[in-house]
Amino acid sequence: MVRVAIIGASGYTGVESIEIILRHPSAKLTYLTALPEECGHVADLFGQLRGRLDMPVEPLDLDKLAQTADVAMCCLPHKVSMAFVPKLLNAGVKVIDFSADYRIKDVAVYEKYYEPHTDRENLAHAVYGLPELFRGEIKKATLIANPGCYPTGASLALAPLLANKLIKTRGIVVSSVTGVSGGGKNPSPNFHFPNMNENLYPYGVGVHRHMPEMEQVASAVAGESVELLFQPHVGPFDRGILSSVYCDPTGDISAKQVQDLFRDFYKDERFVQVLAKPPVVKHVAKSNYCHVFPTVAKGKVVVFSAIDNLIKGASGQAIQNMNLLFNLPEAMGLE
Amino acid sequence: MVRVAIIGASGYTGVESIEIILRHPSAKLTYLTALPEECGHVADLFGQLRGRLDMPVEPLDLDKLAQTADVAMCCLPHKVSMAFVPKLLNAGVKVIDFSADYRIKDVAVYEKYYEPHTDRENLAHAVYGLPELFRGEIKKATLIANPGCYPTGASLALAPLLANKLIKTRGIVVSSVTGVSGGGKNPSPNFHFPNMNENLYPYGVGVHRHMPEMEQVASAVAGESVELLFQPHVGPFDRGILSSVYCDPTGDISAKQVQDLFRDFYKDERFVQVLAKPPVVKHVAKSNYCHVFPTVAKGKVVVFSAIDNLIKGASGQAIQNMNLLFNLPEAMGLE
Amino acid sequence: MVRVAIIGASGYTGVESIEIILRHPSAKLTYLTALPEECGHVADLFGQLRGRLDMPVEPLDLDKLAQTADVAMCCLPHKVSMAFVPKLLNAGVKVIDFSADYRIKDVAVYEKYYEPHTDRENLAHAVYGLPELFRGEIKKATLIANPGCYPTGASLALAPLLANKLIKTRGIVVSSVTGVSGGGKNPSPNFHFPNMNENLYPYGVGVHRHMPEMEQVASAVAGESVELLFQPHVGPFDRGILSSVYCDPTGDISAKQVQDLFRDFYKDERFVQVLAKPPVVKHVAKSNYCHVFPTVAKGKVVVFSAIDNLIKGASGQAIQNMNLLFNLPEAMGLE
Amino acid sequence: MVRVAIIGASGYTGVESIEIILRHPSAKLTYLTALPEECGHVADLFGQLRGRLDMPVEPLDLDKLAQTADVAMCCLPHKVSMAFVPKLLNAGVKVIDFSADYRIKDVAVYEKYYEPHTDRENLAHAVYGLPELFRGEIKKATLIANPGCYPTGASLALAPLLANKLIKTRGIVVSSVTGVSGGGKNPSPNFHFPNMNENLYPYGVGVHRHMPEMEQVASAVAGESVELLFQPHVGPFDRGILSSVYCDPTGDISAKQVQDLFRDFYKDERFVQVLAKPPVVKHVAKSNYCHVFPTVAKGKVVVFSAIDNLIKGASGQAIQNMNLLFNLPEAMGLE
């Protein structure tokens, strides 16, 4: 039984992780932490857990962590995360970090989009936790950088094409729409219900922090530098990301050929389903699945992918990584 | 041309008033005010006005008000309102006040539900601005207390019954569901999109401030003390209030009799439509109409009423009052 | 391992039952049936099952049913159900019937609200499957009438009061709002997205078929005839029912007393959580829990209950009943 | 006073046209027609018109049309439209046609995407009714092909760039999300509330009928053949289209240069507002405005445009065209 601590349990990825572990036959929650002002009974923070989980959310105590947990799900925001992760690792637990702090290997890129990096030592050995692409390294890791939500969907859409040199490495457009839970739990005017409801809009034009993360994964898969334009939008629904990816083929290719390629590339992957028609966000909501549909239209290779941003894009993928780390069946607790 | 100032133009009732006056053939906006930190070009506050209204929102200057306006729509919250209304009146303008400060005539009741009252003088001559019930006094007023959103819908549902002594004055239940704009523009956890979306819940059980306001109107119409239980709920939509009113009849009465009674009672009222089937909120959204359906079921008289909380429940009703104040056709700008 | 067949698997309660059984450690799906025109691979009917369940949905064959299943979840509509249930029972399986056909013991009442009853024999021994109130009989049943969604929430709100004679048995009002999935999967103008979105309305005034079902349960619990007015509404969300119940107390009673009563009444019930504040629908969505909050306001006893209409109001409750039928832990697969 | 008939008044563009004309100071509704089975009092078809418009919707009678109307808004679907438009024109009225039947000048293209064309004669002189681009011809027309909703938003986003040869005429991607009203009033499984709510998905990959319409307009503006990929998506909201347009520049160009270009290009256009930040769909809902934001990102020229699909994308633009046809101020009734 893997003993799991959740560091920063008071946000959406925290409660999502709790829900999954409650159903996991070989893992149990042993420790939930949050900032002091957010502590209390877990059902007071998340009413949906009333009667289902009787545990406190407490301020972090590293000794208690060391004694109670085998792995820490670190659900802290970037910058805060890299201040805590070294301590968590020193406490002897494996760490699955949900922030961006250990995702981007090139410190200069990280610092351009985020902050000065304060933990290069651990960054060096962190493993990017996208199991479908990096399963081997994940199994041996002690620190896993759990991927961003948008990069998960985009990378799964691009990988078969880039790995097979079927698309050009310049001019790629990833146009995505996320549900509002992607913006986190803090109230703001943009996400105030009467402003967000019946609305949809683009943001972060040319500057979103998930763009370099996508480029890093894409370049790793392609074996050469890939540049892309990532354009996020937010729409009036809770959960899910639909990514529409537009690329230029390197040569003649048919819709059937890209379909066959994807089916072959993902034939052993339970959580990536290659569809014969466009995906719908609702079919992956509340699940760890990615639905992907590749085709060719008007001379472009077009790929659509849909995931739940909080599950395959965060907490579900973290459990998938945890299963790999602890030699459990990869899909355990996620079906 | 009635010259209109909007005091507190930065909220939802402010912009709603602006939109209506932009379409009003005999009124024009001359002055928009807000707190200093919310001032600026009106289209920077409300993007939907881009290209439609080229005006600043400015801090309130009473001299400027006196020079530019015939009437002030005072869209301030309670307590703030009674600090400003005396000054607005002194500036020589008529005032239509959107807050609760001048609605409740019994100071003890007001102070039980709200705050110590600081402007009893003006309270004494303020007129409750529900035109269908108090048209005569409204025409002669200088200060109008624009009704609350819930009381507007509930009062129009109850008035024909109470005026005709057809229901008991005890045991009435008003069970209402409002859209989220009723909670105002300030972000809060409850109204954060991922919390409010796909949700519905009751609040303010037994203590909502609109309950004594409803009782005051009901008692005035009945000519005797009426007590009722008002239970509000909030649901995942922008606009509208559906009130379901359950009452005990004083004697035998049929569905047809209450239908006929309502049709007769409201036969000259353009903005109250008596339906032959239950109302739907969406049909009154963005309009100043109240749809009402009275019937009898299982021994209860049941009345449903639907309004737009921001129009008939606030800004539209204010314009209706303004039209009465200035001897304009009552429906002008509201159709 | 309980072998489960789902008869009428193509609707919302069918897929919901499938999802729960997929997570159930001691039950497995062995047979899925639907009308011929709705048959095919289960993932073609429900895209969310792609990669998760590889089974056909087939036309019903009673021999196959007899050979493959221990229990049939009969997710057919009323009237159709009573044509099939005798055959299912004759095939030697236990039956949990989702329709209204075996819920109402008084045939005259059934026939007033529904159709001529064609299977009085099985009606006589069917057991009403609300475990919190009728657990003993459920365990011994071969045919369970799974309760209606509205009656489940209303009955759990009323039972502690009626069992203890704390409210009058006349004048009760149950005012409920359901999400749209309660209306089933068939497209109709009312539930067309642009008509239902941003909308809310009452329906079935005085005539809803769940009213006599509620009265039957309430009378059974009270030990005397109970009459109530049930008023349903539909709101713009997928899942959940919020019931607001207004009753007249038989004597003086405080909010604390009703709170204590409910906590005691449900102290051993995992799936009924008595809250200290009003429930919110979203907290019970996708779960088998009922959240209930009883209080006293303006002389009325007021109880709010929230359930997921498809889970505690249908498929989850069916699995709860199945667990009882087969001597499994009652909450298995439902946590 | 322009006398307006609406042919096919029972759909969403019909009622939207009715609403606008009700507010129009120089136009009045004189005749509403629909299929016999959809006829009746207009408020029985559209409950929101109760008390606001007292008119029948009748089967079409060409003599009555000739006597009562100056212009017919023809809100019929394609194919049906070209069967009726010749008759409407013969009745001596001007026609603004909402269908696709008179939009595409190349009959071969029309027939590839739609049907055999049965009215080439009128097609030859029909004018494409996008006022910002073709105002001169519109004023002189007798038959106006009112543009499609998607092409309106896309064309306004592309025109300044193409007219100035700033982008390449190949490789353009128009990635759009529409609200559900774009799918019309007929119920279908896709638009059944529980299926569409909390959902978002692409459709019509590579084959949407608005793609050749966009190419025709783009080519006309560019003065050379333009090819583009149009990819529509549908999201869970009533109204609005957000188009995200990705293009390759022909040479070096800065964000400021494209901003300046757009501001200059649209400087006299009331209904096109060039923003300094990305548009939000909600700000154009219920209005005839198009909000557009052009910029440069990662080597691409990116333009976002937002319109209300039923107003600027249909009925509002039709009224704008009507105003031009009858020498009324272009914005009359639309502000």
Side-chain angles (χ1 to χ4, degrees):
Chain A
M1 192 65 75
V2 179
R3 300 171 304 156
V4 184
I6 300 182
I7 312 304
S10 61
Y12 289 152
T13 56
V15 70
E16 208 65 38
S17 299
I18 289 171
E19 294 257 13
I20 298 171
I21 296 167
L22 283 177
R23 291 194 299 266
H24 196 294
S26 297
K28 65 175 177 184
L29 292 164
T30 54
Y31 192 31
L32 305 176
T33 84
L35 290 175
E37 62 270 27
E38 295 183 313
C39 289
H41 192 282
V42 70
D44 290 332
L45 268 75
F46 303 111
Q48 64 269 46
L49 296 176
R50 180 78 54 201
R52 296 170 58 203
L53 179 62
D54 186 19
M55 268 183 88
V57 178
E58 307 164 68
L60 175 61
D61 175 301
L62 289 167
D63 287 340
K64 181 163 180 185
L65 176 71
Q67 289 155 23
T68 56
D70 302 309
V71 62
M73 301 282 169
C74 185
C75 301
L76 301 172
H78 70 89
K79 188 177 178 187
V80 180
S81 209
M82 63 186 160
F84 278 86
V85 163
K87 297 172 189 170
L88 303 178
L89 290 169
N90 287 342
V93 299
K94 295 186 176 188
V95 175
I96 299 172
D97 182 52
F98 285 55
S99 85
D101 287 348
Y102 299 94
R103 292 181 197 152
I104 296 182
K105 289 296 181 186
D106 184 330
V107 172
V109 172
Y110 178 88
E111 296 190 338
K112 176 180 169 196
Y113 282 86
Y114 294 90
E115 315 272 338
H117 205 291
T118 61
D119 184 26
R120 298 186 184 207
E121 186 181 326
N122 287 310
L123 174 61
H125 68 84
V127 173
Y128 191 77
L130 191 49
E132 287 78 8
L133 301 181
F134 307 107
R135 187 171 284 118
E137 295 124 285
I138 291 168
K139 291 184 177 182
K140 297 172 289 186
T142 52
L143 168 58
I144 289 176
N146 210 49
C149 50
Y150 287 121
T152 294
S155 299
L156 294 172
L158 284 167
L161 297 167
L162 290 168
N164 289 281
K165 310 280 184 201
L166 295 177
I167 54 170
K168 295 183 184 168
T169 56
R170 296 291 179 278
I172 298 165
V173 173
V174 176
S175 193
S176 302
V177 186
T178 187
V180 188
S181 62
K185 72 163 183 173
N186 289 326
S188 68
N190 277 355
F191 300 148
H192 187 49
F193 186 89
N195 296 341
M196 185 66 236
N197 185 43
E198 295 291 289
N199 206 352
L200 183 135
Y201 49 86
Y203 67 101
V205 188
V207 301
H208 196 281
R209 289 159 163 181
H210 283 176
M211 189 157 55
E213 185 181 335
M214 288 177 192
E215 289 179 330
Q216 173 180 291
V217 179
S219 299
V221 171
E224 63 181 301
S225 153
V226 176
E227 288 184 16
L228 54 77
L229 171 61
F230 165 55
Q231 180 53 55
H233 307 68
V234 61
F237 52 103
D238 278 1
R239 306 169 74 110
I241 292 175
L242 189 284
S243 291
S244 304
V245 181
Y246 307 98
C247 334
D248 295 308
T250 46
D252 269 0
I253 191 161
S254 70
K256 181 170 186 318
Q257 284 171 314
V258 295
Q259 276 270 335
D260 290 345
L261 171 76
F262 271 70
R263 288 191 193 282
D264 185 61
F265 193 88
Y266 288 123
K267 66 177 183 296
D268 298 325
E269 295 298 338
R270 172 180 220 109
F271 292 123
V272 182
Q273 296 290 318
V274 181
L275 307 188
K277 59 181 180 181
V280 309
V281 159
K282 201 164 193 169
H283 284 171
V284 297
K286 291 266 181 182
S287 96
N288 196 53
Y289 283 74
C290 175
H291 283 189
V292 64
F293 172 65
T295 191
V296 171
K298 296 284 291 234
K300 296 265 183 189
V301 176
V302 183
V303 190
F304 303 100
S305 77
I307 60 167
D308 184 309
N309 56 305
L310 291 177
I311 314 259
K312 183 60 179 168
S315 303
Q317 187 141 271
I319 305 299
Q320 196 179 348
N321 284 318
M322 182 194 81
N323 288 339
L324 289 171
L325 275 182
F326 291 90
N327 284 308
L328 298 170
E330 188 172 331
M332 186 175 265
L334 293 167
E335 294 172 278
Chain B
M1 191 64 74
V2 179
R3 299 171 305 155
V4 184
I6 299 182
I7 312 302
S10 62
Y12 289 153
T13 56
V15 68
E16 208 66 37
S17 300
I18 289 171
E19 294 257 13
I20 298 170
I21 296 167
L22 283 178
R23 290 194 299 266
H24 196 293
S26 296
K28 64 175 177 183
L29 292 164
T30 53
Y31 193 30
L32 305 176
T33 84
L35 291 174
E37 61 271 28
E38 294 182 314
C39 289
H41 191 281
V42 71
D44 290 331
L45 268 75
F46 303 111
Q48 64 269 46
L49 296 175
R50 181 77 53 199
R52 296 170 58 204
L53 179 62
D54 186 19
M55 270 184 86
V57 179
E58 306 164 67
L60 175 60
D61 176 301
L62 289 167
D63 287 341
K64 180 161 181 187
L65 176 70
Q67 289 155 24
T68 56
D70 302 307
V71 61
M73 301 284 169
C74 186
C75 301
L76 302 172
H78 71 88
K79 190 178 178 184
V80 180
S81 208
M82 63 187 161
F84 277 86
V85 162
K87 298 172 189 171
L88 304 177
L89 289 168
N90 287 343
V93 299
K94 296 187 175 187
V95 175
I96 299 173
D97 182 50
F98 285 54
S99 86
D101 287 348
Y102 299 94
R103 293 180 196 154
I104 296 182
K105 289 296 180 184
D106 184 330
V107 171
V109 172
Y110 178 88
E111 296 190 339
K112 176 180 168 196
Y113 282 85
Y114 293 89
E115 316 271 339
H117 204 291
T118 60
D119 185 24
R120 297 184 186 210
E121 187 181 325
N122 287 311
L123 175 60
H125 68 84
V127 172
Y128 191 78
L130 191 49
E132 287 78 8
L133 301 181
F134 308 107
R135 186 172 284 116
E137 295 124 284
I138 291 166
K139 291 184 177 181
K140 297 173 290 187
T142 51
L143 170 58
I144 289 176
N146 210 50
C149 50
Y150 286 121
T152 294
S155 299
L156 294 172
L158 284 167
L161 298 166
L162 290 168
N164 290 283
K165 310 278 184 201
L166 293 177
I167 54 169
K168 295 182 184 167
T169 57
R170 295 291 178 277
I172 298 165
V173 173
V174 177
S175 192
S176 303
V177 186
T178 187
V180 188
S181 62
K185 72 162 184 173
N186 288 326
S188 68
N190 277 356
F191 301 148
H192 187 48
F193 185 90
N195 296 341
M196 185 67 236
N197 185 41
E198 294 292 289
N199 206 353
L200 184 135
Y201 51 85
Y203 67 101
V205 188
V207 301
H208 196 281
R209 290 160 162 179
H210 284 176
M211 188 156 58
E213 184 180 334
M214 289 178 192
E215 290 180 330
Q216 173 180 288
V217 179
S219 300
V221 171
E224 63 180 302
S225 151
V226 177
E227 289 184 14
L228 54 79
L229 171 61
F230 165 56
Q231 180 53 55
H233 307 69
V234 62
F237 51 102
D238 277 1
R239 307 171 74 110
I241 291 175
L242 190 283
S243 291
S244 302
V245 182
Y246 307 98
C247 332
D248 295 308
T250 47
D252 270 359
I253 190 161
S254 70
K256 181 174 185 316
Q257 285 171 313
V258 296
Q259 276 270 333
D260 289 345
L261 171 76
F262 271 70
R263 289 191 192 283
D264 186 60
F265 193 89
Y266 288 123
K267 65 178 184 294
D268 299 325
E269 295 298 340
R270 170 183 220 108
F271 291 123
V272 182
Q273 296 290 318
V274 181
L275 307 189
K277 60 181 180 182
V280 308
V281 160
K282 200 163 191 169
H283 284 171
V284 297
K286 292 265 180 183
S287 96
N288 196 52
Y289 283 74
C290 175
H291 284 188
V292 65
F293 171 66
T295 190
V296 172
K298 296 283 292 236
K300 297 265 182 188
V301 175
V302 182
V303 190
F304 303 99
S305 76
I307 60 166
D308 183 309
N309 57 304
L310 292 177
I311 313 257
K312 184 59 178 169
S315 304
Q317 187 142 268
I319 304 299
Q320 197 180 349
N321 283 318
M322 181 194 82
N323 288 338
L324 288 171
L325 275 182
F326 291 90
N327 284 310
L328 299 170
E330 188 173 329
M332 186 175 266
L334 294 168
E335 293 171 279
Chain C
M1 191 67 72
V2 179
R3 299 171 306 155
V4 184
I6 300 182
I7 312 303
S10 62
Y12 290 153
T13 56
V15 68
E16 208 65 37
S17 299
I18 289 171
E19 294 256 14
I20 298 171
I21 296 167
L22 283 178
R23 290 193 301 264
H24 196 292
S26 296
K28 64 175 177 186
L29 293 164
T30 54
Y31 193 30
L32 305 177
T33 84
L35 291 174
E37 62 269 28
E38 295 182 313
C39 289
H41 192 281
V42 71
D44 290 332
L45 269 75
F46 303 112
Q48 64 269 45
L49 296 176
R50 180 76 53 201
R52 296 170 57 203
L53 179 62
D54 186 18
M55 269 184 89
V57 179
E58 306 163 67
L60 176 60
D61 176 300
L62 289 167
D63 288 339
K64 180 162 181 187
L65 176 70
Q67 289 156 22
T68 57
D70 302 308
V71 61
M73 301 282 168
C74 186
C75 302
L76 302 172
H78 70 89
K79 190 178 178 187
V80 181
S81 208
M82 61 187 162
F84 278 87
V85 162
K87 299 172 189 171
L88 304 177
L89 290 168
N90 288 342
V93 300
K94 296 187 176 186
V95 174
I96 300 173
D97 181 51
F98 285 55
S99 86
D101 287 349
Y102 298 94
R103 292 181 197 153
I104 296 182
K105 289 296 179 186
D106 185 331
V107 172
V109 172
Y110 179 88
E111 296 190 338
K112 176 180 169 196
Y113 282 85
Y114 294 90
E115 316 271 337
H117 204 291
T118 61
D119 184 25
R120 297 186 186 209
E121 187 182 324
N122 287 311
L123 175 60
H125 67 84
V127 173
Y128 190 79
L130 191 49
E132 288 77 8
L133 301 181
F134 308 107
R135 187 171 285 117
E137 294 124 287
I138 291 167
K139 289 184 178 182
K140 296 173 290 186
T142 51
L143 169 57
I144 290 176
N146 209 48
C149 51
Y150 287 122
T152 294
S155 299
L156 294 172
L158 283 167
L161 298 166
L162 290 168
N164 290 281
K165 310 279 186 202
L166 294 177
I167 55 170
K168 296 181 184 168
T169 56
R170 294 293 179 276
I172 298 165
V173 173
V174 177
S175 193
S176 302
V177 187
T178 188
V180 188
S181 62
K185 71 161 184 175
N186 288 327
S188 68
N190 277 354
F191 302 148
H192 187 48
F193 186 90
N195 295 342
M196 185 66 236
N197 184 41
E198 294 292 291
N199 206 352
L200 184 136
Y201 50 85
Y203 67 101
V205 189
V207 301
H208 196 281
R209 290 159 162 180
H210 284 177
M211 189 156 56
E213 184 181 334
M214 288 178 193
E215 290 179 330
Q216 173 180 288
V217 179
S219 300
V221 172
E224 62 181 302
S225 153
V226 177
E227 288 184 15
L228 55 79
L229 172 61
F230 165 55
Q231 180 53 56
H233 306 69
V234 61
F237 51 103
D238 277 1
R239 307 172 72 111
I241 292 175
L242 190 282
S243 291
S244 304
V245 182
Y246 307 98
C247 332
D248 294 308
T250 47
D252 269 1
I253 192 161
S254 70
K256 182 174 185 315
Q257 284 171 314
V258 296
Q259 276 271 333
D260 290 346
L261 171 75
F262 271 69
R263 288 190 192 284
D264 185 59
F265 193 88
Y266 288 123
K267 66 178 182 297
D268 298 325
E269 295 298 340
R270 169 181 221 109
F271 291 124
V272 182
Q273 296 290 320
V274 181
L275 307 189
K277 60 182 180 183
V280 309
V281 160
K282 200 162 193 170
H283 284 170
V284 297
K286 292 267 182 180
S287 95
N288 197 52
Y289 284 74
C290 175
H291 284 188
V292 64
F293 172 67
T295 191
V296 172
K298 296 284 291 241
K300 295 265 183 191
V301 176
V302 182
V303 190
F304 303 99
S305 77
I307 60 166
D308 183 307
N309 56 305
L310 291 178
I311 314 255
K312 183 61 177 168
S315 303
Q317 188 142 268
I319 305 298
Q320 196 180 348
N321 284 318
M322 181 194 81
N323 288 339
L324 289 170
L325 275 183
F326 291 90
N327 284 309
L328 298 171
E330 188 172 331
M332 188 176 263
L334 293 167
E335 294 172 277
Chain D
M1 190 68 72
V2 179
R3 300 172 305 155
V4 184
I6 300 183
I7 312 305
S10 62
Y12 289 152
T13 56
V15 70
E16 207 66 38
S17 299
I18 290 171
E19 293 257 14
I20 297 170
I21 296 167
L22 283 177
R23 290 194 299 266
H24 195 293
S26 297
K28 65 175 177 184
L29 292 164
T30 54
Y31 192 31
L32 305 176
T33 84
L35 292 174
E37 61 269 29
E38 295 183 312
C39 289
H41 192 281
V42 70
D44 290 331
L45 269 75
F46 303 112
Q48 64 269 46
L49 295 176
R50 181 76 55 202
R52 296 169 57 203
L53 178 63
D54 186 18
M55 269 183 90
V57 178
E58 305 164 68
L60 175 60
D61 176 300
L62 289 167
D63 287 340
K64 180 161 181 186
L65 176 70
Q67 289 156 23
T68 56
D70 302 307
V71 61
M73 301 283 169
C74 186
C75 302
L76 301 172
H78 70 89
K79 189 177 179 186
V80 181
S81 209
M82 60 187 163
F84 278 86
V85 163
K87 300 171 188 170
L88 304 177
L89 289 169
N90 287 342
V93 300
K94 296 187 177 187
V95 175
I96 299 173
D97 182 51
F98 285 54
S99 86
D101 287 349
Y102 299 93
R103 292 181 197 152
I104 296 183
K105 289 296 180 186
D106 184 331
V107 172
V109 172
Y110 178 88
E111 296 191 338
K112 176 180 168 194
Y113 282 86
Y114 294 90
E115 316 270 338
H117 204 291
T118 61
D119 185 23
R120 297 185 185 209
E121 185 181 325
N122 286 310
L123 175 61
H125 67 85
V127 173
Y128 191 78
L130 190 49
E132 288 77 7
L133 301 181
F134 307 107
R135 187 171 284 115
E137 294 124 286
I138 292 167
K139 290 184 177 180
K140 298 173 287 188
T142 52
L143 169 58
I144 289 176
N146 210 48
C149 51
Y150 286 122
T152 295
S155 299
L156 294 172
L158 283 167
L161 297 167
L162 290 168
N164 289 282
K165 310 278 184 202
L166 294 177
I167 54 170
K168 296 181 183 168
T169 56
R170 295 292 179 278
I172 298 166
V173 173
V174 177
S175 193
S176 302
V177 187
T178 186
V180 187
S181 62
K185 72 161 183 173
N186 287 328
S188 68
N190 277 354
F191 301 148
H192 188 47
F193 186 90
N195 296 341
M196 185 67 236
N197 185 41
E198 295 291 288
N199 207 352
L200 184 135
Y201 50 85
Y203 67 102
V205 188
V207 301
H208 196 282
R209 289 158 163 182
H210 283 175
M211 189 157 55
E213 185 181 334
M214 288 178 192
E215 289 179 330
Q216 173 180 287
V217 179
S219 300
V221 172
E224 63 182 301
S225 152
V226 177
E227 289 184 15
L228 53 79
L229 172 61
F230 165 56
Q231 180 52 56
H233 306 70
V234 62
F237 53 102
D238 278 1
R239 308 170 73 109
I241 291 175
L242 189 284
S243 292
S244 302
V245 182
Y246 307 98
C247 333
D248 294 308
T250 46
D252 269 359
I253 191 162
S254 71
K256 182 172 186 314
Q257 284 171 314
V258 295
Q259 275 270 335
D260 289 346
L261 170 76
F262 271 69
R263 289 191 192 284
D264 185 61
F265 193 89
Y266 288 124
K267 66 178 183 298
D268 298 325
E269 294 298 339
R270 170 181 221 109
F271 290 123
V272 182
Q273 296 289 319
V274 180
L275 306 189
K277 59 182 180 182
V280 309
V281 159
K282 200 162 192 170
H283 284 171
V284 297
K286 292 267 182 181
S287 96
N288 197 51
Y289 284 75
C290 175
H291 284 189
V292 66
F293 171 66
T295 190
V296 171
K298 296 284 291 240
K300 295 266 184 190
V301 176
V302 182
V303 190
F304 304 99
S305 77
I307 60 166
D308 184 309
N309 56 305
L310 292 176
I311 314 257
K312 182 61 177 168
S315 303
Q317 188 142 269
I319 305 300
Q320 195 179 348
N321 283 318
M322 181 194 82
N323 288 338
L324 289 171
L325 275 182
F326 291 89
N327 283 311
L328 298 170
E330 187 173 331
M332 187 176 264
L334 292 168
E335 293 173 278

